[in-house]
C-alpha cells in the first residue's frame, strides 16, 4: 500500500505549510524559535530519531497549540513508530477550514494506519479483526476522495484495501471450515473415548462381580468345612471307652444267667442244658453255621 512519507511531495508540502504558518502567525523571536524547532523535528524524523522529533514538535506546540500542521507532523512520527492508534488520534485533529487538502492527507494517512493494523492481524491469522480494519481503511480513503477527488493515492489505496478485504474474507471462511472439521473430529474422538471408558468400566464391573461371586462361593466352602470339622470334634475319639458292640447272634455269660434266673424252674433247666459249653469258649445261642 502506498502511504504518505516524509520524502514524498505531500509530506514536504505539509512541512512547508507549517513553516509558513509559523512565519506569518508569530512575530519576532517566537517565529524564529518555532522555525528552528520545526526544522530540527523534521531532520530528526528523517534520521528515524522519532522520540527526539516528537519532543521538538511538542515543544513547538507550546507556542502554537492549535496548529494542524504540528498535529500532522506528530502523527507522522507516531506512525513511523507503528503506534497506529496514537497516530490516528493525532491525524483526526488535523482539520483546517482554510486548508481542506491537509485534512484529506490526514484521512489518507489514517487509512494507511488502519491498513497496517489489518496486516498485523493477518500475520497472526486473526482474520475477524482484520476485516473491520480494512473496512475502516476503505472508508477513510472514500472520505479523502470526497475532499480531493483528483488525488490518485486515496483511490489506489481504496482499491487495494478492497482486494485485500476479499482475500481475508476467503481466508476467514476457509479457517472457519478447518476449525469446524477439527471440532467435529475432536467431538468424534471424545465420543470414542467416552465409549471406550464406558466399556472399560463395564468390563471392570463384570470382573469385580465375578470375583465377588467367587469369593462368596469360596466362603461357603470354607464355612461348610468349618462346620464339618466342628461336628467331627464333638464325636468321641478312638481313645474314649465305648461299649463293645455285641456280635449278632451271640450272648454274654451275664446276659444268659440273667435270663435263666428269670425263667421258671423247668424252663431254666431246659435252657441250662441248651447252654452247656461245647468244646470250650463262649456260650452261644443257636447253632454255629
Amino acid at each position: 500500500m502506498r502511504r504518505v512519507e516524509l520524502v514524498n511531495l505531500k509530506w514536504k508540502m505539509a512541512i512547508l505549510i507549517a513553516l509558513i504558518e509559523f512565519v506569518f502567525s508569530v512575530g519576532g523571536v517566537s517565529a524564529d524559535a518555532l522555525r528552528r524547532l520545526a526544522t530540527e523535528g523534521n531532520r530528526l524524523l528523517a534520521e528515524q530519531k522519532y522520540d527526539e522529533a516528537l519532543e521538538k514538535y511538542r515543544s513547538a506546540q507550546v507556542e502554537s497549540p492549535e496548529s494542524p500542521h504540528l498535529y500532522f507532523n506528530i502523527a507522522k512520527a507516531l506512525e513511523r513508530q507503528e503506534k497506529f492508534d496514537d497516530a490516528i488520534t493525532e491525524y483526526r485533529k488535523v482539520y483546517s477550514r482554510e486548508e481542506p487538502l491537509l485534512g484529506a492527507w490526514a484521512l489518507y494517512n489514517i487509512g494507511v494506519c488502519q491498513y497496517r493494523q489489518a496486516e498485523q492481524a493477518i500475520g497472526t491469522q486473526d482474520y475477524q479483526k482484520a476485516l473491520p480494519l480494512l473496512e475502516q481503511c476503505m472508508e477513510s480513503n472514500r472520505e479523502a476522495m470526497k475532499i480531493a477527488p483528483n488525488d490518485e493515492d486515496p483511490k489506489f489505496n481504496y482499491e487495494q484495501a478492497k482486494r485485500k478485504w476479499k482475500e481475508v474474507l476467503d481466508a476467514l471462511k476457509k479457517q472457519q471450515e478447518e476449525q469446524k472439521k477439527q471440532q467435529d473430529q475432536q467431538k468424534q474422538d471424545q465420543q470414542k473415548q467416552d465409549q471406550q471408558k464406558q466399556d472399560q468400566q463395564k468390563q471392570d464391573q463384570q470382573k469385580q462381580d465375578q470375583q465377588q461371586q467367587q469369593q462368596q462361593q469360596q466362603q461357603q466352602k470354607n464355612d461348610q468345612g468349618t462346620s464339618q470339622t466342628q461336628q467331627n470334634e464333638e464325636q468321641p475319639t478312638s481313645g474314649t471307652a465305648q461299649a463293645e458292640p455285641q456280635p449278632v447272634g451271640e450272648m454274654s455269660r451275664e446276659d444268659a444267667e440273667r435270663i435263666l434266673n428269670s425263667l421258671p424252674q423247668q424252663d431254666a433247666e431246659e435252657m441250662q442244658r441248651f447252654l452247656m459249653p461245647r468244646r470250650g469258649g463262649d456260650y452261644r445261642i443257636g447253632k454255629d453255621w
Side-chain angles (χ1 to χ4, degrees), residues 36 60 79 109 137 153 161 168 181 187 222 227 260 263 269:
R36 178 176 55 79
E79 180 189 341
N109 282 354
C137 174
D153 288 340
V168 172
K181 290 180 180 179
K187 185 177 179 180
N222 294 339
S227 177
L260 288 174
L263 293 175
E269 291 175 356

Side-chain angles (χ1 to χ4, degrees), residues 13 27 51 62 82 107 110 119 137 141 152 154 173 176 192 196 224 263-264 274:
M13 289 178 63
D51 288 333
V62 174
E82 297 188 352
L107 288 169
I110 288 174
E119 285 183 325
C137 174
N141 282 283
E152 294 297 325
K173 290 179 180 179
Q176 290 174 341
K192 184 177 180 180
Q196 290 176 346
Q224 291 176 356
L263 293 175
F274 181 75

Side-chain angles (χ1 to χ4, degrees), residues 31-217:
D32 292 338
L34 289 174
R35 186 183 300 107
R36 178 176 55 79
L37 289 172
T39 301
E40 290 179 359
N42 296 339
R43 177 181 59 79
L44 292 169
L45 191 63
E47 294 174 359
Q48 299 182 359
K49 297 178 180 180
Y50 305 122
D51 288 333
E52 296 179 27
L54 283 170
E55 183 178 353
K56 297 298 181 180
Y57 291 142
R58 294 196 187 281
S59 296
Q61 256 187 340
V62 174
E63 299 297 332
S64 182
E66 301 301 325
S67 170
H69 306 90
L70 286 176
Y71 282 130
F72 191 98
N73 292 357
I74 290 171
K76 176 56 62 175
L78 292 170
E79 180 189 341
R80 288 290 188 85
Q81 290 179 308
E82 297 188 352
K83 297 178 180 179
F84 298 120
D85 287 332
D86 294 337
I88 290 172
T89 299
E90 296 298 322
Y91 276 130
R92 293 194 186 281
K93 297 176 183 178
V94 178
Y95 174 76
S96 174
R97 187 183 298 273
E98 292 77 14
E99 300 177 57
L101 188 59
L102 187 62
W105 294 345
L107 288 169
Y108 170 84
N109 282 354
I110 288 174
V112 171
C113 292
Q114 292 164 338
Y115 190 91
R116 298 307 175 199
Q117 288 177 316
E119 285 183 325
Q120 291 177 345
I122 293 170
T124 60
Q125 296 186 345
D126 191 352
Y127 302 127
Q128 289 183 333
K129 181 179 179 180
L131 283 176
L133 287 169
L134 291 170
E135 292 169 0
Q136 294 170 17
C137 174
M138 287 186 284
E139 180 61 24
S140 296
N141 282 283
R142 273 197 297 263
E143 293 297 320
M145 286 187 287
K146 291 179 182 179
I147 300 173
N150 295 327
D151 194 334
E152 294 297 325
D153 288 340
K155 294 178 182 179
F156 180 90
N157 285 3
Y158 173 85
E159 293 298 331
Q160 185 165 339
K162 185 177 180 180
R163 288 192 298 270
K164 181 63 70 173
W165 183 87
K166 292 179 180 179
E167 293 176 5
V168 172
L169 181 61
D170 292 339
L172 177 61
K173 290 179 180 179
K174 183 177 180 180
Q175 183 187 65
Q176 290 174 341
E177 290 176 357
E178 292 294 331
Q179 290 176 348
K180 187 176 184 303
K181 290 180 180 179
Q182 292 178 359
Q183 291 173 355
D184 292 342
Q185 185 62 45
Q186 291 175 353
K187 185 177 179 180
Q188 293 177 0
D189 293 342
Q190 186 62 44
Q191 290 176 345
K192 184 177 180 180
Q193 291 177 2
D194 292 342
Q195 185 62 44
Q196 290 176 346
K197 184 176 180 180
Q198 292 177 0
D199 294 342
Q200 185 63 43
Q201 289 177 345
K202 185 176 180 180
Q203 293 177 2
D204 293 342
Q205 186 63 42
Q206 290 176 348
K207 184 177 180 180
Q208 184 178 356
D209 293 342
Q210 185 178 6
Q211 290 177 348
Q212 186 175 0
Q213 184 178 5
Q214 292 176 351
Q215 290 175 356
Q216 291 175 351
Q217 292 175 352

